[in-house]
Amino acid sequence: LTGNNHPIRIALGLDGNAFSFYCENTYRDMTSGEMDATWRESGIGIQNTQKRLELLFANRHELKVDTMDYKFKVDLKILL
C-alpha cells in the first residue's frame, strides 16, 4: 500500500514483569501476479518468531496473530 491513509498502530507496555506488544496495520489482498515471487513463497517469518519465542520464553508468552477486515494484527504478551 502506498499513500498517507494506511496507518500502523503500535502499543508497548510494561506492567511489573509483564511485557505487552500490539501492532495493527491495514493490507490489501494481492493477486499472484502483483506479489513478488520470493516474498509470496517464503511465509516463514511468523513461524520463525513462534519458534524463537518458545525457545526463549517457554510457557511464559502468548502470541496471537489475526487477519480480519483487511487488518493484520499481532498481540504479544511475555512474562519476563
Side-chain angles (χ1 to χ4, degrees):
L1 298 173
T2 59
N4 296 324
N5 255 347
H6 308 289
I8 297 174
R9 181 176 162 220
I10 298 173
L12 299 170
L14 185 61
D15 185 11
N17 65 340
F19 171 77
S20 62
F21 169 83
Y22 179 84
C23 182
E24 175 183 300
N25 63 280
T26 58
Y27 73 93
R28 71 177 178 96
D29 285 333
M30 290 193 268
T31 64
S32 294
E34 293 177 295
M35 194 180 307
D36 179 89
T38 55
W39 185 82
R40 179 178 60 245
E41 294 169 4
S42 73
I44 61 171
I46 292 174
Q47 292 173 8
N48 285 345
T49 300
Q50 290 170 326
K51 288 178 186 177
R52 185 160 299 212
L53 285 167
E54 189 57 40
L55 288 171
L56 295 171
F57 303 103
N59 301 315
R60 295 184 297 137
H61 76 281
E62 180 181 0
L63 175 65
K64 295 178 185 176
V65 179
D66 188 29
T67 55
M68 185 186 338
D69 299 327
Y70 297 101
K71 289 185 181 178
F72 183 76
K73 302 175 185 181
V74 175
D75 191 4
L76 172 64
K77 296 182 182 4
I78 300 174
L79 292 177
L80 304 172

